[in-house]
Amino acid sequence: MKILALILAYNEEKTILDVIKETKIELPEADILVVNDGSTDRTKELLDKRRDIIVLHHPFNMGIGGAIWTGFNFFSRKDYEYLVRIDGDGQHLPSQAKELLEPLARKEADLVIGSRFITREGYLSSFGRRGGIKLLNLLTTFMLKQKITDNTSGFRAYNRTSVCLLAEDYPFDYPEPIEVYILSRKGLKIKEVSAKMRQREGGVTSIGVLHTYYYLVKVLLTILVNFLYGGKK
Amino acid sequence: MNPYPLGTVQILSILFSLSLLALIIVLIRRKKIREEYAILWIVIFLAFFLLSVFRGLIDNISSLLGIQYQPASLFLILIGFLFLLVFHFSLVISDMKKKINALAMTLAILEESVTKEQKNSS
């Protein structure tokens, strides 16, 4: 079983080394790939000292979707079987990565999402953002006819089919919800497992609180356009 | 033919549109602007030029559109063109952004494989 652990880092000098360390302990058999998305702090310097991991540097900040896309393309060019995504800010617990990978190995799913809202333990995001997440979940649940409790969670594991499909044409701006949407329309199986998250230790969220609803409107637009387009086929 | 005497504004607008037309042509020759983007500009300046020379044209267009106040149809035409232009730029920018992303992604992957090879050989 060849696993690639994809860690995304944008200005995570405070947390990145701990995340790598934890991931190495929890997934000793996995290759660790860190995509540094144009960090302006010491992240690059810290990563370049490491010999035990694979590091890709973006020449400038492309946003989280761009970093994921680079990771997916690296994966698809090699012979890995599974990919697990872990954020460089320490909000995901590498100790739970195995639970995300298991359903893939058992061929129960092509994408496994670590959901905060199944058992509702740990950090559940701020109140204002939870409303947005809920609305998005409702909409995807309705459109995909499958209940998704945490469509914005970035703690995910993919098998090769999913990664290669997404690597072709990646939804840069709003990766998580659209990923689910694309894969589900292609008939791939999506499963959620319960995951706890920590409040992020360092770094800044990729979506500010004020931007949450702007983000939501844009995601809804993307989904809607795809839905109309897909419906005509 | 032309019921109006040649006014200062008309002379100015004829000169203005002609010089902008000339500028575009010079820029194309010097390869400072790509033809595909220049075409829309040429169309705009030509239209502007024609409207300045034949002042009756705008009256005809106005009555055709049912617009009482002739300058309003001029603004309408100009705004229409500007919309097209800005829309065209949005398309170009989106396309460029996509290509830049693809370049950065490829660069990141290539850089890693080159550094790895250098480390192996040294």
Side-chain angles (χ1 to χ4, degrees):
Chain A
M1 193 154 104
K2 266 195 98 181
I3 303 168
L4 183 70
L6 169 62
I7 300 176
L8 308 173
Y10 175 54
N11 291 346
E12 314 282 10
E13 58 176 17
K14 292 198 191 98
T15 51
I16 189 69
L17 294 183
D18 287 336
V19 174
I20 294 170
K21 196 166 91 187
E22 267 186 73
T23 310
K24 275 193 84 120
I25 294 168
E26 300 293 341
L27 291 171
E29 73 276 30
D31 280 355
I32 295 178
L33 167 67
V34 183
V35 178
N36 163 29
D37 189 20
S39 299
T40 48
D41 63 356
R42 288 177 58 238
T43 305
K44 181 175 196 293
E45 193 187 320
L46 294 174
L47 290 173
D48 278 340
K49 284 186 195 145
R50 304 288 294 243
R51 292 282 173 270
D52 53 340
I53 54 171
I54 308 157
V55 183
L56 300 182
H57 297 291
H58 280 169
F60 43 79
N61 181 253
M62 277 163 71
I64 185 151
I68 298 168
W69 191 53
T70 298
F72 281 10
N73 271 281
F74 181 86
F75 177 100
S76 70
R77 287 165 198 210
K78 310 276 154 111
D79 61 343
Y80 294 106
E81 284 174 82
Y82 302 108
L83 183 145
V84 58
R85 217 189 102 185
I86 297 165
D87 272 6
D89 62 7
Q91 63 167 330
H92 301 155
L93 304 169
S95 55
Q96 294 181 318
K98 274 218 162 71
E99 293 161 37
L100 260 67
L101 289 161
E102 269 165 13
L104 297 179
R106 288 199 303 263
K107 304 229 182 300
E108 286 171 13
D110 301 285
L111 164 69
V112 181
I113 305 171
S115 167
R116 287 162 286 184
F117 302 115
I118 292 180
T119 51
R120 306 185 66 84
E121 278 180 87
Y123 179 61
L124 296 174
S125 181
S126 68
F127 178 76
R129 290 174 63 187
R130 272 213 305 278
I133 293 172
K134 218 169 199 160
L135 189 60
L136 196 62
N137 288 338
L138 270 174
L139 189 90
T140 33
T141 302
F142 167 73
M143 294 227 274
L144 305 179
K145 294 169 187 72
Q146 177 186 354
K147 190 166 167 58
I148 304 285
T149 62
D150 196 1
N151 209 353
T152 52
S153 160
F155 192 32
R156 299 178 165 200
Y158 312 74
N159 66 10
R160 200 168 169 86
T161 321
S162 304
V163 174
C164 290
L165 200 82
L166 292 166
E168 277 172 32
D169 190 12
Y170 197 72
F172 276 92
D173 294 338
Y174 335 100
E176 288 89 4
I178 311 292
E179 259 185 10
V180 168
Y181 189 76
I182 294 175
L183 294 181
S184 154
R185 287 202 81 101
K186 290 272 179 188
L188 297 184
K189 278 174 289 180
I190 295 153
K191 193 185 162 142
E192 282 188 308
V193 297
S194 180
K196 257 202 278 189
M197 285 188 200
R198 286 180 288 221
Q199 190 154 11
R200 63 191 74 233
E201 294 163 15
V204 267
T205 159
S206 60
I207 317 160
V209 180
L210 273 176
H211 282 116
T212 304
Y213 287 88
Y214 178 50
Y215 167 91
L216 187 71
V217 168
K218 290 199 285 184
V219 176
L220 294 183
L221 178 71
T222 314
I223 293 182
L224 202 71
V225 169
N226 276 299
F227 189 68
L228 291 175
Y229 190 75
K232 274 184 192 160
K233 262 192 239 173
Chain B
M1 281 210 343
N2 197 335
Y4 308 101
L6 210 62
T8 328
V9 178
Q10 196 184 1
I11 295 171
L12 272 179
S13 50
I14 289 173
L15 285 178
F16 181 68
S17 45
L18 272 182
S19 45
L20 283 176
L21 255 177
L23 179 72
I24 287 287
I25 288 162
V26 170
L27 286 178
I28 294 174
R29 242 188 83 92
R30 291 189 187 160
K31 302 205 187 304
K32 295 267 189 199
I33 186 169
R34 305 229 349 204
E35 284 83 347
E36 50 181 319
Y37 306 134
I39 287 172
L40 202 50
W41 283 116
I42 290 177
V43 171
I44 291 172
F45 294 143
L46 265 181
F48 197 69
F49 175 70
L50 290 176
L51 286 175
S52 342
V53 175
F54 306 105
R55 282 182 57 174
L57 214 58
I58 202 78
D59 297 344
N60 293 337
I61 293 170
S62 301
S63 58
L64 210 72
L65 294 174
I67 295 173
Q68 304 284 315
Y69 181 59
Q70 282 89 354
S73 39
L74 184 68
F75 294 141
L76 187 73
I77 293 166
L78 280 177
I79 291 171
F81 271 128
L82 287 179
F83 261 124
L84 267 181
L85 207 65
V86 173
F87 189 69
H88 175 69
F89 284 156
S90 297
L91 288 179
V92 174
I93 291 169
S94 304
D95 181 56
M96 272 169 45
K97 215 174 157 185
K98 202 170 159 185
K99 286 174 181 162
I100 290 170
N101 281 342
L103 274 178
M105 182 270 287
T106 320
L107 175 74
I109 293 176
L110 277 180
E111 193 185 36
E112 192 270 338
S113 64
V114 170
T115 356
K116 202 169 73 190
E117 245 168 62
Q118 280 172 346
K119 271 178 207 158
N120 285 346
S121 59
S122 65

